[in-house]
């Protein structure tokens, strides 16, 4: 969770029903509280405990009196029964002192799970309200492509769970795919993939597998140093970068970079890559060894870690645009 | 000097298993399309691709019956070229074998000779070797008869990255499956229309049906095989990891002992990729799964 204030190192969730013993005051830890409704009636009804909202208010007052509130943030679980109240919940959160309001879609199935065509308009209205009242708006667990101008409010790009807790049909075809996890898998099971509702910003080409133009993959070619001029084609995907190298006089080889490991067989290892060659033609023995070791040494010298491959997370970085583009 | 054995861009092809990378233990690893892959972790101390097969047989009480024949294939005609499958369906439990035949040799004859002590294999079928993959199915019924009546011929289709599956037996030859193989995420624009153009499931009405056929937990795989059969559609999620496998086994009602084994042996299986198949059809407003299958290297 990102902090609003650089001095806030972390956040803790507030349990309004927990013991009222004076809490240790840590000025670097912010407090997150949950609000389900725009007032006591709806909040208490959803959490199923009469007086819950009053206890939350009282707890926050007490913490404030004890000077134990370095920063406050509000989290609003999205449910079918509070969607109509989201904008008013922003006002409640502000009155309670929250600097940030996060709208969190459910990640497990339950009676409160609503379809995106109901959630999104309500969330967009609430984000507009956040902007009006000066509260930072955030969203969790919804697709970025449906948030329009508020796409930047989406938080939590990574999904470290296995099997994945989020999924999107367009994950690797959408420009937003590297910072959007898509829909919760529980949502997909209940309401489907929403293929017709999602608005992916489709890449012109999902990933340029093969490109023999001299401009392509300039940053990747540059890794090879002087040998870059002998590269006839680059094939790049998330698992490997492969350079077809023409050594002249009918001699060629394919140089292969894969993500750096400590164990896999490799000719050499640079900061980000294991380096191998394959498909050597017309060359062998000591001459081949001399050539590939020279190229590998160039890569090791030039690999500063800015280019990388990752078969599981995201796409490798595209080469920078030419100046003036 | 290290001599790489990788084949550049092997996807979508029925690769010769001889070209597959070898793990440290010498085991060749390949997926259901016989495309080779590198193990995800160092293989020292890890289980082989057949470990789950033996456990599945053990759990089903069929290990004693089938292990000698399967071991013979593993050591003989099927060495380095065989995929095993363990199916759980409403009717019965089935054990499948697929043997790659990149050289188009008379593989069926060799298989008959190998299995001769236990089974007759499609005695009425002439073997001309004109298939890319040979498939057979073993079950209690087959064991009772002592004979596999029909075999499957997998042939490259007319379109790129497609396979046709023909069942060949005493009743003749009929096409039983059409398969399209594509990268799961990057080529969703290819697979999605194919999935939705189903004669089995009407996707036009209920938007939730797609979420129950294209399973989100398994979508994070390497390749999708979109299969069109006579009485059901099926999706193969090729290249899932052991955590996804455990989820699959648990979700689709595979024996609890097998789920526990996969969970308990996670550290010994986490270098492998697995292929799983989920067959489905529509019954009223519901999607039902008549059969699910786990595949691995023999």
């Amino acid at each position: 969770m990102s902090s609003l204030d650089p001095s806030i190192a972390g956040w803790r969730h507030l349990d309004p029903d927990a013991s009222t013993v004076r809490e240790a005051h840590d000025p670097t830890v912010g407090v997150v509280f949950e609000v389900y409704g725009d007032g006591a009636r709806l909040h208490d009804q959803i959490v199923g405990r009469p007086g819950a909202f009053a206890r939350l208010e009282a707890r926050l007052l007490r913490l404030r009196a004890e000077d134990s509130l370095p920063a406050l943030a509000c989290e609003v679980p999205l449910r079918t029964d509070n969607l109509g109240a989201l904008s008013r919940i922003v006002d409640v959160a502000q009155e309670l002192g929250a600097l940030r309001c996060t709208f969190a879609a459910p990640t497990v199935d339950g009676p409160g799970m609503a379809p995106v065509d109901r959630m999104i308009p309500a969330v967009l209205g609430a984000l507009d309200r956040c902007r009006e009242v000066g509260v930072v708006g955030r969203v969790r667990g919804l697709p970025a492509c449906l948030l329009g101008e508020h796409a930047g409010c989406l938080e939590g790009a990574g999904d470290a769970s296995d099997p994945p807790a989020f999924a999107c049909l367009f994950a690797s075809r959408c420009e937003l795919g590297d910072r959007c996890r898509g829909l919760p898998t529980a949502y997909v099971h209940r309401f489907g993939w929403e293929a017709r509702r999602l608005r992916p910003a489709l890449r012109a080409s999902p990933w340029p597998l093969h490109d023999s133009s001299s401009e392509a993959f300039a940053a990747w070619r540059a890794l090879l140093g002087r040998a870059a001029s002998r590269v006839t084609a680059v094939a790049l995907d998330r698992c490997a970068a492969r350079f077809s190298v023409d050594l002249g006089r009918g001699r060629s080889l394919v140089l292969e970079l894969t993500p750096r490991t400590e164990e896999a067989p490799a000719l050499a290892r640079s900061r980000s890559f294991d380096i191998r060659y394959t498909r050597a033609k017309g060359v062998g023995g000591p001459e081949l060894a001399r050539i590939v070791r020279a190229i590998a040494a160039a890569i090791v010298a030039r690999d500063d870690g800015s280019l990388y491959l990752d078969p599981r997370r995201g796409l490798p970085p595209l080469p920078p645009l030419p100046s003036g583009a | 000097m290290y001599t790489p054995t990788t084949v550049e861009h092997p996807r979508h092809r029925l690769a010769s298993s001889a070209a597959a990378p070898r793990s440290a233990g010498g085991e060749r690893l390949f997926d259901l399309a016989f495309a080779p892959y590198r193990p995800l972790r160092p293989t020292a101390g890890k289980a082989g691709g057949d470990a789950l097969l033996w456990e599945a047989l053990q759990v089903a009480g069929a290990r004693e019956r089938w292990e000698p024949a399967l071991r013979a294939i593993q050591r003989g005609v099927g060495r380095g070229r065989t995929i095993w499958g363990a199916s759980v369906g409403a009717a019965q439990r089935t054990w499948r074998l697929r043997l790659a035949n990149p050289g188009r040799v008379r593989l069926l004859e060799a298989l008959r000779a190998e299995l001769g002590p236990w089974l007759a294999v499609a005695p009425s079928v002439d073997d001309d070797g004109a298939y890319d993959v040979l498939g057979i199915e073993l079950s209690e019924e087959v064991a009772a008869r002592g004979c596999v009546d029909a075999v499957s011929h997998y042939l490259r289709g007319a379109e790129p990255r497609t396979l046709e599956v023909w069942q060949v037996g005493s009743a003749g030859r009929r096409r039983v499956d059409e398969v399209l193989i594509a990268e799961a995420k990057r080529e969703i624009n290819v697979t999605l229309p194919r999935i939705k153009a189903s004669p089995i499931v009407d996707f036009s009405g209920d938007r939730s049906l797609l979420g129950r056929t294209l399973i989100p937990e398994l979508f994070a795989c390497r390749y999708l095989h979109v299969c069109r059969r006579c009485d059901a559609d099926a999706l193969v999620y090729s290249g899932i990891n052991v955590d996804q496998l455990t989820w699959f086994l648990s979700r689709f009602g595979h024996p609890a002992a097998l789920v526990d084994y996969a969970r308990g042996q996670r550290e010994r299986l986490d270098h492998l990729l697995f292929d799983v198949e989920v067959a489905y059809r529509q019954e009223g407003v519901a999607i039902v799964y008549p059969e699910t299958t786990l595949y691995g290297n023999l």
Side-chain angles (χ1 to χ4, degrees), chain A residues 174-300:
Chain A
C174 177
E175 297 284 2
L176 302 169
D178 53 353
R179 58 192 179 93
C180 170
R181 295 184 290 180
L183 291 160
T185 52
Y187 180 96
V188 177
H189 283 292
R190 179 152 174 200
F191 293 111
W193 287 90
E194 302 289 16
R196 291 180 184 168
R197 286 183 172 77
L198 297 180
R199 296 284 177 268
L202 290 178
R203 299 173 191 271
S205 169
W207 187 249
L209 262 182
H210 303 279
D211 193 336
S212 58
S213 69
S214 58
E215 297 80 21
F217 311 117
W220 289 83
R221 286 168 183 261
L223 273 180
L224 274 64
R226 287 193 307 168
S229 62
R230 294 190 172 275
V231 173
T232 57
V234 180
L236 183 61
D237 60 33
R238 286 181 292 181
C239 300
R242 297 182 180 88
F243 303 83
S244 299
V245 183
D246 183 356
L247 300 169
R249 301 199 305 275
R251 302 170 306 162
S252 66
L253 58 85
V254 173
L255 191 78
E256 182 181 88
L257 307 185
T258 54
R260 161 90 189 220
T261 67
E262 297 304 323
E263 307 89 1
L267 178 73
R269 297 185 214 284
S270 65
R271 186 165 170 180
S272 298
F273 308 111
D274 284 355
I275 304 168
R276 304 180 185 85
Y277 72 93
T278 182
R279 294 193 169 185
K281 289 181 186 167
V283 62
E287 183 189 14
L288 176 62
R290 181 180 57 76
I291 291 170
V292 294
R293 286 193 187 285
I295 298 176
I299 294 172
V300 171

Side-chain angles (χ1 to χ4, degrees), chain B residues 23 31 63 248:
Chain B
S23 71
D31 65 16
R63 183 164 183 169
F248 162 84

